[in-house]
Amino acid sequence: MSQDFKQAALDYHEFPTPGKIGIEITTPASTSRDLSLAYSPGVAEPVREIAKDPENAYRYTAKGNLVAVISNGTAILGLGDLGPLASKPVMEGKALLFKRFANIDSIDIEVDAESPQAFIDTVARIADTFGGINLEDIKAPECFEIERTLIERCNIPVFHDDQHGTAIVTAAGMINALELAGKKLEEASIVCLGAGAAASACMKLLINMGAKVENIYMLDRKGVIHSGRDDLTPEKAVFATETDKRTLEDACEGADVFVGLSGPDLLSPENLLKMAPSPVVFACANPDPEIKPELARATREDVIMATGRSDYPNQVNNVLGFPFIFRGALDVRASAINEEMKAAAVVALAELAKQPVTQEVLDAYGLDSLEFGREYILPKATDSRLLGAISYAVAKAAIDSGVARKDMPANYPLS
């Protein structure tokens, strides 16, 4: 990152007003009557109605279109545990993306908690304020306990985007990449380098979409996670397979897919050469991938490559998912974001990449043409059709799976 860009980033966050989000008034507040309706004595009427029936909070307050972005700052981007206050620019950025892409109001909350249980208790006690909760930048393994417990305690969607947002976009791109490679997910041999929150969620969702757990070789710092190891957390033990493979070199032999959620330059050209024909490589470590696309393509012309970076084709970008997933969940007042809703988002996202690319996308990226293929397996973030396609798919899945408390809105699909 150049010094000029670093300074531009700081200036962006400081000027013209510090931060990236604000609060706006949505009703008239000019006259004495306006103020008497907004506050005392008029405000007593919706208070009484909500006391009679808590569901009336969705009628008379902003709850139904309000998402909290909450972190304890223990895993900020690739920077590590820098504390809750240091995570605030990231959480504000997530709130900005909610508003920009799905017109969802969002507020960031940074929690200084001495333990996972203290964090859980804090979030659970304020949950009624919101229509949904987006957990962010919480380290593994405590993120698993935090999300699982909050889902049990809250009656609104709780979604750890580092896990499930990454998994949904990864799965959509993977399905399309394998199709282009002439392979099937249920038959693919998959190497996953990394065993943290994102890696576990990605592999679980791929299994739900059809991949076989016995075909997945997940690696942590000690090597392949296999059934003979006695040092595995419950989250890792799910992926322990009966195998004699022990190293990344072993796992790559004949593999169809490599998913990297680890660190830079960990997939060598030698290991890439060991993979099956038309290998699919998702090197998602940021900012430096497990193998640079230039090196991967120089090593194998048949590779189908994705990264987490915007300056290469096929960016695995969470913004393709979370704003629209929450939009669909909020609009049918879902009590959770369940596996059916995640799978629906995967399918909708994968299918959109196969549709003709609109002029707005071409103009945004300065392109003359773009079509489904090895360098276009996922939609671009500026594709306005994401809003309609994913929110509708998620809302329908919520209704069909029984977690929605409202029917499909009359204005769906959104445009």
Side-chain angles (χ1 to χ4, degrees), residues 189 191 217 245 247-256 271 273-276:
S189 172
V191 176
Y217 303 99
K245 296 179 186 290
T247 66
L248 179 59
E249 184 178 6
D250 296 338
C252 285
E253 187 71 49
D256 298 296
N271 284 337
L273 285 168
K274 292 177 181 294
M275 294 180 68

Side-chain angles (χ1 to χ4, degrees), residues 103-298:
N103 197 29
I104 292 172
D105 295 325
S106 180
I107 189 72
D108 64 295
I109 299 174
E110 293 75 37
V111 179
D112 188 0
E114 67 275 12
S115 67
Q117 189 59 52
F119 182 90
I120 290 166
D121 290 340
T122 299
V123 176
R125 287 179 178 130
I126 64 173
D128 277 351
T129 305
F130 307 100
I133 291 172
N134 182 105
L135 299 173
E136 196 80 15
D137 288 0
I138 302 169
K139 71 180 181 182
E142 64 188 46
C143 63
F144 301 116
E145 175 194 354
I146 286 170
E147 185 193 41
R148 182 170 55 248
T149 306
L150 285 172
I151 288 172
E152 292 170 357
R153 290 181 59 175
C154 302
N155 65 351
I156 59 173
V158 176
F159 186 82
H160 185 202
D161 188 50
D162 297 320
Q163 291 186 61
H164 310 299
T166 304
I168 287 164
V169 180
T170 298
M174 188 66 62
I175 288 169
N176 282 345
L178 286 170
E179 179 181 323
L180 290 164
K183 301 177 182 182
K184 297 179 179 179
L185 181 60
E186 55 267 28
E187 298 172 355
S189 172
I190 300 171
V191 176
C192 180
L193 183 58
S200 294
C202 284
M203 294 304 108
K204 285 179 181 178
L205 185 55
L206 287 175
I207 291 168
N208 288 347
M209 301 301 295
K212 304 299 184 187
V213 67
E214 59 267 26
N215 292 338
I216 294 175
Y217 303 99
M218 180 179 282
L219 293 94
D220 61 10
R221 288 181 175 86
K222 296 182 179 180
V224 172
I225 293 172
H226 59 87
S227 56
R229 286 178 54 174
D230 59 4
D231 60 344
L232 301 176
T233 64
E235 289 77 23
K236 291 182 182 181
V238 171
F239 302 102
T241 55
E242 296 254 359
T243 180
D244 57 1
K245 296 179 186 290
R246 294 294 182 266
T247 66
L248 179 59
E249 184 178 6
D250 296 338
C252 285
E253 187 71 49
D256 298 296
V257 173
F258 172 90
V259 177
L261 293 154
S262 49
D265 303 321
L266 295 178
L267 178 63
S268 68
E270 292 76 17
N271 284 337
L272 177 57
L273 285 168
K274 292 177 181 294
M275 294 180 68
S278 292
V280 174
V281 174
F282 278 43
C284 295
N286 254 330
D288 300 311
E290 284 78 5
I291 186 169
K292 292 180 175 60
E294 300 91 340
L295 178 57
R297 293 193 181 96

